[in-house]
Each structure stands twice: as C-alpha cells, then as structure tokens.
C-alpha cells in the first residue's frame, strides 16, 4: 500500500507491492505468495537504560451528546518515555533479493515507504509516536554454511536456532480470535521454507529443486542447547492409579478391564497437572516458556484498529532452546546425492525464514542423527511389536461414516486391523490398540488439496500422536515382519491408500507425519502386573 501511495513521479517503474509484501491465497488456486520481507519481531531502543522510568498518563472518554466525561471510562496508559522525548529505534528487515542492484532499489523503496508513515503506536492521533526521521541502510548478509557430519548415514540431524518467538497454531475448537502454538515445527514447514527459497531463486540449486519431494524431514522438537535427543509424545497406553503411580498397560491391552491396585486406571483425558508432569519426565519432554501477544487487525482505509478484530497469539519463547529434526536422504538417488548435499548445505547456510505466524528465521547446523529420549528395543520383543505414533498419522483414509462415536469399538478395531494388514502386506496382525482420533479439513485444505483431484469433501480422520498399536507377526512371517517394522521406524509410515504426493496430501511421511517408535522400553519397565479380581 505504501508503494501504491507514491506520487506518480516517484512511483515510475515501481515494483509490484505483492512482489515484496506478498498476498493471501486467492480462491482460484489457493496458493499464497509469501512476503519477501521479514521484519524483526522487536525493534530495540538504542538509548534505553534500566534507570529510565515509565510515565503514566490518564485519559477519559467524552460523551458526544453532552460533551462531558463518560462515567467509569477513565483510562490509565503507561509509557516508557516522557512526553516530548525523542526515541531512536533500530531493527532489521531481511529481504531475499536476486542481486545487489535489486537490494539497492529495495532500500530506496523502504526509505520512501516508511517516510509516508506519519506516526507509530496507539496514541499517534493525539501526537504521540510521531515519526521524525527514517534511515535505511543496506548490508549484504553473509553466513557460513553448516558442515556435514562425518557419519556416512543417509540420515542427518538438523539443529535449528530461532531469532524470535514461535507460533504454529494448533486446532482449538470454537476459537476464532485465539491462537495457541504447538511447541514443535512441522517437517512440512521446514521443507516449505526450503521450497520458498527455490521459488525466489529458480535455477540456483537445480538438484535440490529436482529432488526436494524425495527428502523427508521429521518434526523439529524443542531441546536444550546441548541436548541431542528428541522427546516422545506420552503413549496413550500410560495410565495412573489411585495413588498417582504411572504405569503402562500395553502388555495388558487384551484384558477387558485391567485394574491398577484394585481401581479403574485413569488415562490421559482424566489426568491432572501432577500426572502430566510425571509423564513429561518419563518421556523427556522439554517445554519452553510461553508468551501471550495481543494484537488487532488494522483498517486499511483509516490506518487505525479495526472494530471487533482483537486477537491473541500464545507463542513459544525460543531464546534458551534449540529445535531438533532429522533429515532422511535415503530416497535421493545415489547418482546425485553429493550434489544434493552440497546444494542443501549452501541453501541452509543462507538461513531459513518465514516460519509460522511470527515469520521466524533460523540458523541451521548439521549433526549426527538424533535419537529418542526413550530408548527403543528390537523391532520384535516377546513376539510383539508395540508401535507408538510420535506424530499424527492418516491411518483411516476413506472412513467417512458408519462407525458411531459411542459403542463403535468393534468396528473401529476392525478398521485399524485392516489398515495394518494392508500396510504390512499381511505379515503383521493387530492385537489391540490405544488411540484417539481427530478431524482435519477446512476450506483452505479442500481448495488446495482436495477439490483439484475430484474428491468429494469430507474431513480427514487422523490418528493422534501418542496412539499405541500392539502388533504381532503372522504365522511364519517373523523375518518379513521385522524388515517391514525396521523400514517404518527408519522412514515413517506410508499412506494406506497410496496418496503420497505432497500436492495431493500434506500429511505424508516426507512432511514428518507418521513418525513412529517401535517397542519403547517403557512398555516393559513401567508395565503393570496383572491383578486378580
């Protein structure tokens, strides 16, 4: 809009505003265009000192009819600066430019555009926040590409360090103006950030461009700055007894109603905070602190807050944590693997940008692959394979109706058993399960992924992270079952209906979905003994 506001003489030859600032997805193709400009989340005061005292100002609403103060409408406003004080703020605008000439031109457009801003902040209408001067300097950014670890494995660890709070919004039913962040970065977002770089500079990394769809990236989970393990989601087979003891019931799944110390076990929907704390310690969960940011949409015509458009974002703070993911390059052809690694190394050295609602930028490091915070046993133990979903999985494609939400146990068990039989080629049989289901869909998903392929609309049914499935080899199929389980553990679960293309289905294993653990040792170390009734 600043570009469109420029006088004709100054705007001659101006770039498209959408080229730099992006635009939302259009209904025709549902393909958003991301902004090429990433503004610092916070802009710092160059002269701020701890001794500086905040001032408090008082205002009152005025009744338009009487011209007198409205009863009960006094407002107190805290400002870190006294009236008339000049404040110097500094921040960075990160931009993706094709060459030095375009960067210099962008500097000029930013200088002009910001110059049209009369004031900043909530009180600019009464004289506060008046903009006196803008200075935009251009500095080329130079970073050292991360080095590949010495290990020859086709799986490598990716350590991410973020420059601002993180917000990947989780589904919150019934909340339209409240956004709560997940604590992880989806693998799809990381691959999307790489793909965005390719779109902005086509031809610079031809091997990555040709084979990006064959790269698998797990979800990146928070960890301490020196940690090398990724936490696991608490398995749904965990339960607590009446004395707050934590047990795993996967080995007793076939019992109709297992008891813990003579009482019915309490599973996750009934847990209290103390129970979650125990499970978090057992599963190695790292929980960074959170921050609530409250904002409002802006009316473009008035340049002021839009009425009834207040919204909040609960973000994850990142200053003391890294995020850990694994990259699986096993499906990259050997003939171009070295070229792919060299180009990806160069691309990661530039830094990924635009992650989540806060447009977070990251610095990346490559390390040996990360293991789980809870150890895994062999893929078969005591004749069983206990699979725990570490991320959601699309295990019930095409299941639209016919299983009631109440008393549909037997039908749901048959549906899951059929899925595992199909995925394993008949070499594994399901014994029992602990699972939750969620529904995914919506207008954007349908417009971008569903309607293009002629499918009727119906929300997808996902099996939630933490769900546990107890499998056993079919008679005489131990060797083939072990091979299949090892492949799933290393590369994630495939799609039961074969829908593996990223532009048809966003929930594929290459995007981090369907990641599993096999035979976590807690199933045995925390096992509850069978009790006599």
């Amino acid at each position: 809009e600043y570009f469109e506001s420029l006088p004709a003489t100054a705007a001659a030859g101006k770039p498209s505003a959408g080229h730099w600032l992006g635009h939302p997805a259009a209904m025709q193709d549902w393909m958003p265009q991301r902004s090429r400009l990433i503004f610092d989340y916070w802009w710092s005061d160059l002269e701020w000192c701890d001794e500086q005292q905040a001032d408090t100002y008082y205002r009152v609403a005025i009744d338009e009819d009487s011209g007198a103060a409205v009863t009960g409408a006094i407002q107190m406003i805290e400002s870190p600066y006294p009236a008339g004080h000049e404040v110097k703020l500094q921040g960075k605008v990160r931009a993706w430019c094709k060459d030095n000439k375009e960067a210099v031109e962008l500097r000029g457009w930013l200088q002009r555009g910001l110059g049209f801003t009369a004031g900043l902040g909530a009180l600019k209408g009464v004289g506060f926040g008046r903009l006196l001067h803008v200075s935009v300097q251009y500095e080329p950014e130079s970073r050292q590409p991360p080095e590949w670890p010495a290990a020859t494995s086709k799986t490598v660890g990716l350590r991410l360090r973020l420059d601002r709070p993180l917000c990947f919004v989780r589904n919150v039913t019934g909340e339209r103006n409240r956004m709560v962040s997940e604590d992880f970065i989806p693998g799809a977002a990381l691959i999307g950030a790489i793909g965005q770089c390719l779109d902005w500079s086509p031809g610079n990394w031809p091997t990555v461009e040709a084979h990006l769809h064959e790269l698998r990236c797990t979800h990146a989970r928070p960890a301490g700055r020196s940690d090398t393990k990724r936490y696991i989601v608490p398995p749904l087979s965990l339960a607590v007894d009446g004395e707050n003891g934590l047990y795993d019931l996967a080995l007793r799944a076939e019992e109709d109603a297992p008891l813990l110390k003579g009482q019915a076990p309490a599973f996750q929907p009934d847990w209290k905070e103390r129970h979650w704390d125990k499970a978090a310690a057992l599963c190695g969960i790292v929980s960074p602190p959170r921050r609530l940011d409250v904002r409002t949409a802006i009316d473009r015509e008035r340049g002021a807050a839009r009425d009834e458009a207040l919204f909040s974002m609960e973000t994850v703070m990142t200053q003391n944590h890294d995020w850990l993911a694994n990259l699986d390059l096993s499906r990259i052809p050997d003939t171009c693997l070295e070229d792919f690694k060299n180009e990806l190394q160069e691309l990661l050295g530039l830094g990924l940008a635009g992650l989540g609602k806060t447009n977070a930028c990251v610095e990346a490091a490559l390390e040996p692959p990360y293991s789980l915070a809870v150890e895994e046993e062999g893929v078969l133990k005591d004749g069983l394979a206990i699979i725990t979903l570490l991320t959601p999985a699309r295990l019930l494609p095409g299941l639209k109706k016919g299983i009631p939400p109440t008393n549909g146990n037997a039908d749901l068990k048959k549906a899951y058993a059929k899925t595992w039989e199909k995925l394993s080629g008949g070499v594994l049989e399901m014994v029992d399960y602990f699972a939750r289901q969620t529904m995914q869909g919506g207008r954007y998903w349908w417009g971008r992924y569903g309607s293009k392929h002629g499918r009727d609309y119906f929300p997808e049914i996902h099996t939630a992270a933490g769900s546990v499935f107890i499998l056993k080899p079919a008679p005489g199929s131990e060797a083939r079952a072990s091979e299949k389980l090892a492949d799933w553990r290393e590369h994630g679960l495939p799609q039961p209906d074969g829908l593996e293309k990223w532009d048809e289905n966003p929930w594929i294993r290459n995007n981090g979905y369907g990641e599993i653990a096999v035979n976590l040792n807690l199933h045995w170390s925390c096992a509850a003994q069978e009790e006599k009734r």
Side-chain angles (χ1 to χ4, degrees):
E1 286 151 357
Y2 290 138
F3 295 146
E4 302 300 337
S5 302
L6 293 176
T9 53
K14 69 179 185 299
S16 164
H19 174 79
W20 290 112
L21 302 178
H23 59 71
M27 291 185 64
Q28 290 81 3
D29 58 7
W30 294 97
M31 293 290 288
Q33 179 177 330
R34 299 297 300 269
S35 170
R36 291 175 179 245
L37 306 182
I38 306 295
F39 289 76
D40 273 357
Y41 200 68
W42 290 296
W43 290 54
S44 59
D45 177 1
L46 298 180
E47 298 178 352
W48 178 264
C49 62
D50 293 337
E51 292 77 17
Q52 193 160 348
Q53 298 296 317
D55 280 357
T56 301
Y57 301 93
Y58 300 89
R59 299 181 68 192
V60 65
I62 300 299
D63 188 297
E64 293 183 0
D65 295 329
S66 66
V70 176
T71 303
I74 193 169
Q75 185 180 45
M76 299 174 61
I77 304 169
E78 183 181 79
S79 172
Y81 310 106
H85 182 75
E86 291 189 8
V87 183
K88 295 181 180 179
L89 299 174
Q90 177 177 281
K92 293 183 179 180
V93 182
R94 189 172 184 228
W96 193 279
C97 302
K98 63 182 180 181
D99 53 31
N100 186 70
K101 179 181 178 181
E102 186 177 50
V104 173
E105 290 177 352
L106 173 62
R107 188 209 69 79
W109 288 115
L110 287 173
Q111 181 82 37
R112 292 187 183 97
L114 291 173
F116 277 93
T117 305
L120 301 171
L123 302 179
K124 54 182 178 291
V126 293
F128 283 74
R130 184 161 60 92
L131 190 63
L132 300 178
H133 176 69
V134 175
S135 175
V136 181
Q137 306 297 325
Y138 159 52
E139 296 179 2
E141 190 173 42
S142 177
R143 295 184 181 180
Q144 189 69 23
E147 296 184 3
W148 283 94
T152 58
S153 169
K154 290 189 177 181
T155 300
V156 64
L158 179 67
R159 181 180 292 271
L160 304 171
R161 187 160 295 180
L162 284 71
D163 71 335
R164 67 191 69 193
L166 178 72
C167 185
F168 280 97
V169 181
R170 70 172 64 145
N171 289 334
V172 180
T173 304
E175 299 283 356
R176 297 184 62 86
N177 67 339
R178 175 174 174 260
M179 294 179 281
V180 180
S181 179
E182 300 282 10
D183 66 358
F184 59 83
I185 303 174
L190 296 173
I191 291 180
I194 295 173
Q196 186 67 81
C197 296
L198 300 177
D199 288 342
W200 286 340
S201 300
N204 283 5
W205 301 282
T207 309
V208 173
E209 190 170 350
H211 297 281
L212 182 61
H213 66 283
E214 296 170 307
L215 174 68
R216 173 174 172 260
C217 181
T218 68
H219 291 0
R221 302 194 184 279
R225 286 290 169 90
S226 59
D227 290 349
T228 57
K229 294 184 181 295
R230 300 168 64 237
Y231 75 74
I232 69 165
V233 178
L236 289 173
S237 54
L238 291 175
V240 294
D241 61 17
E243 299 176 0
N244 298 323
L246 187 63
Y247 297 93
D248 189 273
L249 297 178
L251 299 178
R252 295 176 58 186
E254 291 185 275
E255 296 182 38
D256 288 336
L259 299 179
L260 290 177
K261 296 186 178 180
Q263 298 181 4
F267 291 95
Q268 289 185 21
D270 297 318
W271 284 2
K272 309 302 181 186
E273 185 175 357
R274 61 184 181 277
H275 304 141
W276 283 107
D277 290 342
K278 282 192 174 184
L282 179 66
C283 299
I285 292 178
V286 175
S287 299
R290 290 172 176 258
R291 167 192 172 97
L292 185 67
D293 293 337
V294 180
R295 299 184 175 180
T296 184
I298 300 299
D299 187 311
R300 295 187 176 185
E301 294 183 0
R302 298 187 298 115
R306 187 187 303 167
D307 293 337
E308 299 180 355
L310 191 72
F311 65 94
S312 67
M313 292 196 307
E314 183 183 289
T315 59
V316 178
M317 303 303 290
T318 62
Q319 62 266 38
N320 296 319
H321 294 82
D322 292 336
W323 269 251
L324 308 183
N326 283 325
L327 298 178
D328 178 7
L329 288 74
S330 60
R331 288 181 172 80
I332 309 297
D334 291 338
T335 54
C336 58
L337 181 59
E338 286 304 313
D339 289 339
F340 185 93
K341 291 169 64 175
N342 291 336
E343 291 180 12
L344 183 62
Q345 179 183 14
E346 179 183 345
L347 201 155
L348 291 175
L350 299 176
L352 303 181
L355 292 173
K357 288 289 186 181
T358 60
N359 283 332
C361 302
V362 302
E363 293 183 10
L366 297 170
E367 298 178 346
Y370 306 116
S371 58
L372 298 178
V374 178
E375 293 184 4
E376 298 173 276
E377 308 285 352
V379 292
L380 288 175
K381 182 174 181 178
D382 298 338
L384 297 175
I386 303 177
I387 290 180
T388 302
L389 297 184
L390 302 180
T391 61
R394 187 172 165 268
L395 296 181
L396 300 170
L399 183 63
K400 299 180 180 179
K401 56 184 177 180
I403 298 180
T406 303
N407 298 327
N409 276 18
D411 291 336
L412 186 58
K413 185 175 182 179
K414 288 179 182 178
Y416 274 128
K418 184 177 180 180
T419 293
W420 289 110
E421 180 184 9
K422 184 175 183 179
L423 286 176
S424 67
V427 301
L428 285 165
E429 301 173 351
M430 192 181 82
V431 177
D432 218 324
Y433 71 100
F434 302 79
R436 288 193 303 112
Q437 294 75 40
T438 62
M439 301 187 77
Q440 303 290 334
R443 191 179 185 188
Y444 174 78
W445 164 75
W446 176 243
R448 182 166 181 182
Y449 297 101
S451 61
K452 294 180 180 179
H453 305 287
R455 300 194 295 268
D456 294 333
Y457 176 78
F458 199 88
E460 293 274 3
I461 299 175
H462 284 193
T463 304
S467 296
V468 174
F469 297 89
I470 299 93
L471 311 180
K472 66 179 181 181
S477 303
E478 287 79 4
R480 287 184 295 161
S482 297
E483 183 178 343
K484 183 67 68 174
L485 290 164
D487 177 72
W488 291 347
R489 181 158 70 179
E490 185 72 19
H491 307 300
L493 295 174
Q495 296 295 305
D497 59 355
L499 206 61
E500 297 279 0
K501 294 183 178 180
W502 66 269
D503 56 348
E504 296 178 353
N505 173 20
W507 300 301
I508 58 178
R509 57 183 170 181
N510 280 17
N511 286 346
Y513 295 92
E515 183 183 2
I516 67 169
V518 183
N519 286 341
L520 293 167
N521 62 16
L522 63 80
H523 297 307
W524 283 265
S525 63
C526 297
Q529 299 301 315
E530 185 175 356
E531 298 179 16
K532 294 183 179 180
R533 298 183 182 277

